[in-house]
Amino acid sequence: MTAPFRFPRFFVTSPAPCPYLPGRQERKVFTELNGAHAGELNDALGRIGFRRSQSVAYRPSCSGCAACVSVRIVSGEFVPNASQRKLLKRNADLEVTACRPWATDEQYQLLRHYLSLRHPGGGMSGMDEDDYADMVEHSPVDSLIVEYREPTVDGRRGRLVGACLTDRQADGLSMIYSFFAADDAGRAGMGNFIIMDHILRGHAAGLPYVYLGYWVQGSPRMAYKIKYRPIEALGPNGWRRIAPGAEPIPAELKSPVPV
């Protein structure tokens, strides 16, 4: 007889400085992902706005603030605009490989370089090789690393210019963390290219959504997440499609979903 599904226990973190909005405090509700049903639990929590970090699923639960909004792209209806089409064409030479979640030194060095340029002094800046291996390899769910390389020359693998740790959920791809050669002028817009590649990849696999995590109103660092259409945002009444030109996302969508 199969053991009954055990309802997870949720915990709340102590308030800490918000990394996105100066002067505010963040707090998260979280639960552990482990055991035979970790994937199913992660899928269910992803549909109500949770994100995964290693073996933990979390969601903002901040007092007096609901600026973080879960967003996802409808992959089957995505139509790139003119600038996005140019970006896809410019990077069409890249060799893209979905790899098993195994950390490499090449990935780690690219991550370190990316963090030094884009997030110096951030929460991940002190990550060492073991920390990176834990992030990639200790996944309780169906995960992969998507690598983006320049073309192969003389039988040798091309330079790694981007990578993304990705979860495959029942209804879509969840982009956990991407990093890339942020100072390569010839590969400008690489982060956006990685998102579009995931949208196209998800559609080809018959997965309806690509989860981008949280869009944070008032944070310029998160503005890129609502440039892809169609986009849906999670509010108290479920997922709702946001019409073009509707930014900022209406206030009723910014209310947190109760746990």
Side-chain angles (χ1 to χ4, degrees):
M1 180 180 294
T2 303
F5 183 82
R6 185 175 180 179
F7 191 81
R9 297 177 62 191
F10 290 91
F11 307 90
V12 179
T13 64
S14 298
C18 176
Y20 301 108
L21 300 175
R24 298 195 189 184
Q25 296 284 301
E26 73 165 356
R27 191 180 62 172
K28 297 174 183 175
V29 60
F30 68 95
T31 189
E32 289 185 282
L33 297 169
N34 52 40
H37 298 286
E40 297 170 53
L41 177 59
N42 189 53
D43 287 353
L45 292 176
R47 287 191 287 270
I48 58 171
F50 278 74
R51 292 283 285 170
R52 184 182 71 82
S53 177
Q54 293 180 242
S55 60
V56 168
Y58 70 92
R59 198 194 64 203
S61 181
C62 306
S63 178
C65 179
C68 293
V69 180
S70 295
V71 291
R72 67 186 186 185
I73 307 301
V74 183
S75 62
E77 298 178 40
F78 171 70
V79 178
N81 60 31
S83 62
Q84 290 168 340
R85 289 195 299 271
K86 290 179 181 178
L87 183 59
L88 286 169
K89 183 177 180 180
R90 187 165 68 242
N91 289 288
D93 63 321
L94 290 178
E95 297 176 354
V96 185
T97 307
C99 309
R100 64 191 181 99
W102 186 258
T104 67
D105 181 66
E106 189 178 20
Q107 294 167 6
Y108 174 68
Q109 296 304 326
L110 179 62
L111 172 67
R112 294 291 304 158
H113 186 60
Y114 169 80
L115 292 172
S116 70
L117 294 171
R118 290 294 180 91
H119 305 289
M124 295 177 65
S125 60
M127 179 178 286
D128 62 21
E129 291 179 87
D130 290 337
D131 295 330
Y132 175 67
D134 285 343
M135 182 178 80
V136 173
E137 298 172 10
H138 294 174
S139 171
V141 302
D142 185 5
S143 301
L144 61 148
I145 284 277
V146 183
E147 290 189 341
Y148 299 83
R149 293 182 178 276
E150 292 186 330
T152 300
V153 178
D154 298 329
R156 294 174 296 178
R157 291 198 305 173
R159 181 173 66 105
L160 183 69
V161 295
C164 185
L165 175 61
T166 303
D167 288 350
R168 181 181 172 117
Q169 299 179 179
D171 65 346
L173 298 177
S174 179
M175 299 180 65
I176 302 300
Y177 198 81
S178 63
F179 50 97
F180 46 88
D183 58 346
D184 188 338
R187 298 292 177 185
M190 190 65 201
N192 292 311
F193 175 78
I194 292 175
I195 292 175
M196 286 190 288
D197 176 72
H198 275 68
I199 296 170
L200 299 174
R201 183 177 296 273
H203 177 51
L207 298 171
Y209 303 111
V210 172
Y211 288 85
L212 297 183
Y214 304 110
W215 171 75
V216 184
Q217 186 177 39
S219 173
R221 290 165 51 190
M222 293 294 173
Y224 72 91
K225 291 191 176 184
I226 51 175
K227 293 181 179 179
Y228 305 92
R229 301 291 175 171
I231 187 171
E232 294 181 349
L234 180 62
N237 297 314
W239 292 93
R240 173 180 166 183
R241 189 168 297 196
I242 303 302
E247 299 89 9
I249 288 178
E252 65 268 19
L253 286 179
K254 297 186 292 173
S255 300
V257 180
V259 174

